[in-house]
Amino acid sequence: GGNPPNFCETPKATLPVTDMGCEIYPEGLKSLLIWVNNTYHPKSLYITENGAGLHETWDGKSKTVADPRRVAYLKSHVRAAWEARESGVPLNGFFCWSFLDNFEWGYGYAKRFGIVYIDYPTKKRIPKESYFLWHDYATGKLKP
């Protein structure tokens, strides 16, 4: 087995971060999946929560909310997971965090995680561009 890869050695200044200060490092996901597979030889793996706390706004009229940073985040992480799967990792599922914007314990409603925007005053739900990306992945219209 050995120890898991040490991703903390990467200088923070070289990596983009989410609005919560978390590094965006999809290569780390791939490396970790490969390490887990090589160390523990699981029959099956699932990524049960992957997403980014970001900030988006809605203009009050549009039928969608632009979230290009989340789209890029999801694309890069799905691609990294796919590459790990292609290398033999038995990855059988990848779940996006989260379907709806929600309450985050440390930040309240200040950070958004969902692929569907919630206008908190009205409770209206507006799909983000990442919602349509996830739809295309789920229906097979888009491959990693």
Side-chain angles (χ1 to χ4, degrees), residues 66-121:
D67 63 340
R69 290 177 61 209
R70 180 170 289 101
V71 167
Y73 178 96
L74 290 172
K75 281 183 176 181
S76 66
H77 283 78
V78 166
R79 182 77 201 150
W82 182 262
E83 289 172 1
R85 188 172 191 271
E86 291 290 297
S87 76
V89 173
L91 184 62
N92 292 312
F94 188 117
F95 296 88
C96 178
W97 184 256
S98 147
F99 178 66
L100 299 171
D101 288 335
N102 59 9
F103 181 83
E104 176 65 28
W105 289 108
Y107 294 90
Y109 292 107
K111 307 298 181 196
R112 295 181 178 268
F113 286 86
I115 58 174
V116 174
Y117 183 93
I118 303 294
D119 181 48
Y120 294 124

Side-chain angles (χ1 to χ4, degrees), residues 1-139:
N3 294 321
N6 185 352
F7 303 119
C8 296
E9 292 177 3
T10 305
K12 292 185 181 294
T14 64
L15 295 173
V17 296
T18 68
D19 289 353
M20 294 175 69
C22 299
E23 295 174 340
I24 300 173
Y25 187 52
E27 295 83 5
L29 175 61
K30 178 182 173 181
S31 296
L32 185 60
L33 287 168
I34 291 169
W35 178 83
V36 167
N37 185 54
N38 292 341
T39 303
Y40 298 105
H41 312 288
K43 293 180 182 177
S44 184
L45 286 172
Y46 292 84
I47 296 171
T48 58
E49 181 177 304
N50 183 269
L54 301 170
H55 177 75
E56 296 97 20
T57 57
W58 178 52
D59 64 13
K61 301 176 218 164
S62 300
K63 294 185 180 186
T64 190
V65 174
D67 63 340
R69 290 177 61 209
R70 180 170 289 101
V71 167
Y73 178 96
L74 290 172
K75 281 183 176 181
S76 66
H77 283 78
V78 166
R79 182 77 201 150
W82 182 262
E83 289 172 1
R85 188 172 191 271
E86 291 290 297
S87 76
V89 173
L91 184 62
N92 292 312
F94 188 117
F95 296 88
C96 178
W97 184 256
S98 147
F99 178 66
L100 299 171
D101 288 335
N102 59 9
F103 181 83
E104 176 65 28
W105 289 108
Y107 294 90
Y109 292 107
K111 307 298 181 196
R112 295 181 178 268
F113 286 86
I115 58 174
V116 174
Y117 183 93
I118 303 294
D119 181 48
Y120 294 124
T122 66
K123 308 300 184 255
K124 184 172 175 119
R125 297 171 180 177
I126 304 95
K128 299 177 187 178
E129 291 173 352
S130 56
Y131 169 91
F132 298 103
L133 171 74
W134 209 253
H135 171 272
D136 289 351
Y137 281 141
T139 59

